[in-house]
Amino acid sequence: MPERISDAEHTVMEVLWDASPLTAQDVAERVDPAKGWSANTVKTLLGRLLAKTVIGHEQDGRRYLYRPLVARDDYVSGESRRLIDRLFGGKLTPLVAHLAERDELTAQDIAEIEALLQALKA
């Protein structure tokens, strides 16, 4: 992704990744009501995402339909890489060690990591 997106923008992206194309009103209705966002807030966020070229839009009569231009998997991959690069010098092992040292890995997490490693070796 060319530019990072804010947490609020990410909320809008999740709505669009879930279903698209959507109108601004559709997006506003699908955002968690606990956020308390107005339709204007959602329109502002859509405008920011358009400017960052992570979403596109097409006119449909008097309204616009919005859709993501960046796949969710690509976004997750990029953000994961940025985190690992910034905090752990680009290495994954220190991240896992950090989590393990703080008892943040459950037995289930460890089993899943072991299974993943076994599959990668095969």
Side-chain angles (χ1 to χ4, degrees):
M1 283 188 19
E3 277 191 69
R4 304 231 15 229
I5 62 174
S6 70
D7 289 344
E9 293 164 347
H10 181 256
T11 298
V12 171
M13 289 300 295
E14 286 292 345
V15 170
L16 291 171
W17 282 320
D18 188 47
S20 63
L22 295 172
T23 66
Q25 186 61 41
D26 293 335
V27 174
E29 290 170 1
R30 292 171 187 229
V31 168
D32 182 0
K35 297 238 181 248
W37 292 352
S38 69
N40 284 338
T41 298
V42 171
K43 288 178 185 176
T44 297
L45 293 169
L46 288 167
R48 290 179 187 170
L49 291 166
L50 282 167
K52 293 178 180 183
T53 65
V54 293
I55 66 170
H57 69 294
E58 58 195 51
Q59 195 159 2
D60 181 39
R62 293 179 42 190
R63 62 189 186 162
Y64 287 98
L65 297 174
Y66 299 90
R67 60 181 162 49
L69 297 177
V70 174
R72 187 176 194 289
D73 286 347
D74 292 339
Y75 171 75
V76 169
S77 180
E79 285 297 297
S80 299
R81 175 52 42 205
R82 277 197 231 353
L83 173 74
I84 292 167
D85 288 347
R86 189 174 75 245
L87 298 179
F88 300 99
K91 298 184 182 206
L92 183 59
T93 305
L95 168 63
V96 175
H98 171 79
L99 294 173
E101 289 168 1
R102 296 197 171 21
D103 293 326
E104 294 184 26
L105 292 177
T106 66
Q108 180 66 32
D109 290 332
I110 294 168
E112 289 175 9
I113 291 169
E114 287 174 339
L116 176 61
L117 291 174
Q118 288 301 321
L120 291 172
K121 287 181 181 180

